[in-house]
Amino acid sequence: MDGRASDDPGECEEAAEGGPGGGAPTRAFLNELLAAKAELEARNEALQLVNDLSQRFQKRLAVEAIAAETVDVLARHSQAPLVAFYLLEGEKGPLRMVTGRGFTEREMSLGALLPLEGSASGLAVRERRIVTIRRGNLDRRDLHPVVGALSERGLSTGFCIPLTHGERPLGTVNVIFPTEREISPLEIDTFHGIARAVSLAVANARLVADLEHLAFHDLPTGLPNRAGFHRRLLRLTAGGEWPARAGLVVVNLDRFREINDTLGHTVGDEILVEVVARLQARARARPADVFRLGGDEFAVVLPGAESLGEVAAEARLLLSELSQPLRVAGMGLEIGASAGVALLPEQGRDSHELLRCADVALHDAKRTPGGVAVYARELDQHTPERLALLSELGKGIRDGELVLHFQPTVALQYGFIEGFEALVRWRHPRLGLLLSGRFVPLAEATDLMRPLTGWVVKEALRQLAVWNREFPRLTMAINLSMRNILDRSFPDMLEEIVREAGVNPALLEYELTETAIMADPETAFTSLARITASGSRLAIDDFGTGYSSLSYLKRLPVDVLKIDQSFIADMATGPRSLAIVRSTVQLAHSLELGVVAEGVENRESARTLRAMGCDLAQGYYFARPAPAEEAAHHLARGGWLDVPV
Ligand code: C2E
Ligand code: MG
Ligand code: MG
């Protein structure tokens, strides 16, 4: 087949004109009638064809399936031995063959891509009309090499039918015949009808694909999002070898929110772009997949990972990439990150379980030097054993299984017991005496925190009332949790208990961690203002482990800082901890706050703290937490404890 892309639209639209003519009127009339009937039937058939095709497209959504169906229908309907389906890539092309039937391998590869300028199909797309290529009509301008190849094996006529949706060109469907062939007006109509149905289906398929892309991707970074993560893991676990193996690293940027708030979202976005680039660079080296789970949280999936150690090593590499200084908005910034690590299938049968485990590890990583933590069952508060424990706790509280232990706080400069801290324990019928760390965090996640704290406060005040008869200035410290202060009716409950116990509110000290306050500072401020209004004091527990900013401290009705035991334990060997303790004591004093050193375990620490002017101390060195009768022994000795001078 030689080829020419006809520039004459009449060739299509006006071809096969002509009607009945000559003969006797009755005969002519009969012929006309027969012809009209045949035409009507043909039209009906064509309409039916287009209808059928449209209906079939309603079920098919992938563009490839639409292409295959179209090629199939056209080949059957037009008896064309060669049919090709092309879609336009981008606005300027080229046209890419999606499906072709009847072509040789060479023709397939020659015609795989057709330019918009320089091919009959391109012309059809540009001018939105059916273009005919036929032997003997040569116009080399629009001749593509594939036409030469087709004519070499005797193919003679081709029609390129454009696909358009609204104003948008989509591609072409080409039908090619071995003989010289005209195109009838009916065929033109049918081709146009088919083209309309196909175009609509393609446009629909693309819209669905776009929507799906949106649902599974994060717009600002272009990374697959949380839903994309679950889908990827589903595919990993559904197909391929079983059990599927994969490592998961969940990365969380440190201080990202703070940077976003102080330097603005533009800088925040620039940082994100750089972070994504670094994560992807590492991911390419392995290879691995990167996802954005939310704000400053990313997931890296390592398909085929064999061990937690291997995944943790990768996590450290990722963090070291991220920790390199970055330049944004003309500033040099350092942005740290933490990472939690988990492994499939060991730590979960599906993406949800796996992600939960990596999150548990991440939580721990925030407190781990180096910032990487591997999932361990002990970290997990939601193991079946813990859930069972939680379900027993409510009954335990009602049945009086809780007990309080009391640990004294010592005035370091003088050696007398200033007061006690109440620490809750659970006499579990099966498991024996449980320390607070085993069940308080569980209760904190549920409404049980309210009855638990209620019981602790009542019991602590009952004991204080007893001790106050002999030691009227003795104080009692009680731990509150975040849940308590976010509970708006909690201050009322507390007030009621204190009133009923008949103790002086000024002898009470409530301890809260920084993290508990920072979770929702505004609500915390309101609750704490009410709780301290009656003269009770407020202590910041585990000071130094949260993200306290001093500006918040000034706004809070804080009276005491309790320096976390990790600094005290580390003081003898870590000069940094010693410096932190020293400056905390100074800071507290300059803000006119009291300061307590927690976890004093030896004489040396006690002596150092005393020398630096620390007011109060608590720890095994002086006394362990103990039941009331035992704690009372210290009081029986006059309330004095040994303080090294
Ligand atoms: P916390 O308030 O910081 O309590 C101090 C913890 O350190 C206690 O652990 C205590 O037994 C322990 N400790 C005291 N001296 C030393 C020492 O010299 N060395 C070491 N290594 N540890 C020492 P415990 O009783 O297991 O309590 C752990 C945490 O549980 C408490 O930390 C507190 O945050 C929470 N908690 C305890 N009782 C309650 C309660 O009634 N309500 C609430 N909301 N939380 C409680
Ligand atoms: Mg405490
Ligand atoms: Mg503490």
Side-chain angles (χ1 to χ4, degrees):
M1 178 175 79
D2 297 331
R4 184 177 87 85
S6 161
D7 287 331
D8 174 17
E11 193 175 41
C12 305
E13 269 102 41
E14 284 153 30
E17 257 303 311
T26 37
R27 197 131 176 228
F29 179 67
L30 212 67
N31 279 346
E32 227 170 276
L33 213 63
L34 280 175
K37 184 170 177 265
E39 163 138 10
L40 208 66
E41 276 172 3
R43 262 189 200 279
N44 263 344
E45 195 188 315
L47 260 175
Q48 191 65 41
L49 179 86
V50 174
N51 254 348
D52 282 357
L53 198 63
S54 307
Q55 278 198 347
R56 265 188 278 179
F57 284 156
Q58 283 178 4
K59 283 178 238 117
R60 310 233 170 205
L61 284 175
V63 165
E64 290 72 22
I66 294 167
E69 189 87 22
T70 310
V71 166
D72 195 47
V73 164
L74 270 173
R76 266 190 289 128
H77 172 73
S78 67
Q79 313 273 303
L82 274 73
V83 185
F85 191 109
Y86 284 91
L87 282 180
L88 189 64
E89 293 198 329
E91 297 214 335
K92 299 211 167 76
L95 288 154
R96 176 184 294 280
M97 193 196 287
V98 184
T99 313
R101 166 183 297 200
F103 296 92
T104 65
E105 223 168 273
R106 179 161 167 265
E107 289 158 0
M108 285 293 268
S109 88
L110 267 177
L113 291 177
L114 299 176
L116 262 193
E117 304 271 350
S119 75
S121 302
L123 185 66
V125 166
R126 277 186 284 132
E127 299 194 352
R128 287 177 212 168
R129 61 181 177 86
I130 298 178
V131 168
T132 311
I133 318 166
R134 76 176 77 248
R135 182 192 285 273
N137 283 336
L138 275 176
D139 177 349
R140 303 235 160 232
R141 240 181 347 120
D142 279 315
L143 188 66
H144 187 268
V146 71
V147 177
L150 291 169
S151 61
E152 266 170 33
R153 62 168 173 128
L155 290 153
S156 185
T157 317
F159 301 106
C160 304
I161 309 155
L163 302 172
T164 44
H165 182 67
E167 288 299 295
R168 231 177 110 200
L170 298 176
T172 61
V173 187
N174 301 346
V175 281
I176 297 159
F177 299 92
T179 49
E180 286 287 339
R181 197 177 181 288
E182 290 305 322
I183 183 168
S184 71
L186 176 60
E187 257 177 326
I188 292 175
D189 281 357
T190 310
F191 284 161
H192 278 310
I194 290 176
R196 264 194 301 278
V198 173
S199 300
L200 190 66
V202 169
N204 251 331
R206 289 201 167 152
L207 178 67
V208 169
D210 282 353
L211 288 177
E212 193 186 74
H213 186 86
L214 273 182
F216 289 100
H217 288 80
D218 169 56
L219 272 185
T221 60
L223 287 179
N225 60 12
R226 190 175 281 267
F229 164 82
H230 289 297
R231 187 173 65 167
R232 171 80 179 94
L233 263 94
L234 194 68
R235 287 184 180 161
L236 205 73
T237 46
E241 63 197 83
W242 182 259
R245 303 205 63 89
L248 172 62
V249 182
V250 173
V251 176
N252 189 286
L253 305 182
D254 299 338
R255 301 190 307 126
F256 179 71
R257 243 161 244 163
E258 212 178 297
I259 292 177
N260 228 355
D261 289 348
T262 45
L263 299 180
H265 290 274
T266 327
V267 174
D269 288 351
E270 277 182 53
I271 293 175
L272 278 185
V273 168
E274 182 59 29
V275 164
V276 169
R278 290 179 185 191
L279 290 175
Q280 281 181 321
R282 264 280 352 125
R284 273 194 295 276
R286 205 195 127 94
D289 305 313
V290 184
F291 305 82
R292 185 175 182 202
L293 297 179
D296 55 355
E297 199 153 299
F298 298 87
V300 179
V301 171
L302 313 169
E306 291 289 338
S307 69
L308 273 174
E310 177 192 341
V311 187
E314 184 62 34
R316 277 188 285 276
L317 285 174
L318 284 166
L319 292 197
S320 95
E321 280 298 323
L322 292 182
S323 68
Q324 305 300 318
L326 48 90
R327 284 206 73 77
V328 278
M331 283 175 287
L333 276 180
E334 280 183 35
I335 182 149
S338 316
V341 165
L343 192 66
L344 191 83
E346 277 78 357
Q347 271 119 39
R349 282 153 303 171
D350 61 33
S351 58
H352 295 274
E353 283 183 21
L354 185 70
L355 188 57
R356 198 186 63 71
C357 289
D359 274 341
V360 168
L362 178 66
H363 191 71
D364 189 52
K366 294 259 169 208
R367 289 172 283 155
T368 310
V372 174
V374 164
Y375 175 81
R377 233 180 142 75
E378 304 80 76
L379 297 176
D380 205 330
Q381 308 189 349
H382 299 96
T383 55
E385 301 94 275
R386 294 209 175 216
L387 287 177
L389 208 58
L390 184 61
S391 70
E392 291 167 320
L393 183 58
K395 187 172 179 297
I397 298 174
R398 286 192 302 276
D399 290 359
E401 289 170 9
L402 296 187
V403 284
L404 283 187
H405 281 187
F406 298 91
Q407 186 179 34
T409 313
V410 185
L412 257 185
Q413 309 301 329
Y414 313 101
F416 63 83
I417 292 176
E418 207 227 19
F420 286 91
E421 177 176 1
L423 295 161
V424 68
R425 309 292 183 244
W426 180 8
R427 266 189 210 296
H428 191 277
R430 220 165 5 93
L431 303 169
L433 189 72
L434 301 182
L435 291 183
S436 36
R438 282 284 290 280
F439 61 95
V440 171
L442 294 183
E444 261 166 355
T446 71
D447 289 338
L448 281 179
M449 203 56 222
R450 191 183 158 91
L452 188 144
T453 308
W455 182 86
V456 169
V457 178
K458 263 186 213 148
E459 182 58 19
L461 296 198
R462 193 191 60 75
Q463 189 58 57
L464 182 65
V466 173
W467 284 333
N468 273 159
R469 280 184 224 137
E470 211 178 323
F471 300 91
R473 296 175 61 161
L474 198 74
T475 62
M476 183 63 74
I478 293 164
N479 294 283
L480 299 182
S481 91
M482 162 160 69
R483 218 180 164 83
N484 296 139
I485 53 162
L486 296 185
D487 171 356
R488 288 176 198 278
S489 63
F490 182 75
D492 289 335
M493 175 178 114
L494 205 58
E495 205 177 285
E496 169 97 19
I497 297 175
V498 175
R499 199 162 29 80
E500 275 179 12
V503 297
N504 177 2
L507 297 176
L508 302 179
E509 187 171 294
Y510 298 108
E511 299 189 1
L512 255 177
T513 63
E514 299 162 84
T515 342
I517 296 167
M518 292 311 154
D520 181 355
E522 292 312 317
T523 312
F525 290 156
T526 320
S527 289
L528 293 176
R530 287 197 50 203
I531 290 172
T532 51
S534 57
S536 299
R537 294 188 300 169
L538 176 67
I540 303 290
D541 206 348
D542 305 347
F543 184 80
T545 57
Y547 339 71
S548 247
S549 71
L550 294 175
S551 58
Y552 275 123
L553 272 187
K554 276 197 238 143
R555 288 180 58 194
L556 281 168
V558 179
D559 305 281
V560 178
L561 298 186
K562 297 189 78 173
I563 306 175
D564 190 64
Q565 56 188 40
S566 60
F567 298 108
I568 308 299
D570 203 36
M571 219 170 39
T573 49
R576 216 177 117 74
S577 291
L578 183 65
I580 289 175
V581 173
R582 196 186 300 280
S583 56
T584 306
V585 171
Q586 281 165 4
L587 165 87
H589 286 163
S590 67
L591 293 171
E592 298 184 334
L593 302 176
V595 58
V596 184
E598 289 188 295
V600 179
E601 291 188 345
N602 52 55
R603 194 180 175 85
E604 193 47 43
S605 304
R607 201 200 290 267
T608 310
L609 288 161
R610 186 170 191 265
M612 66 173 75
C614 182
D615 312 299
L616 297 157
Q618 205 179 359
Y620 296 167
Y621 172 72
F622 302 106
R624 286 181 178 260
E629 319 78 73
E630 224 174 284
H633 290 327
H634 304 301
L635 292 174
R637 290 205 299 267
W640 296 89
L641 289 172
D642 172 37
V643 173
V645 194

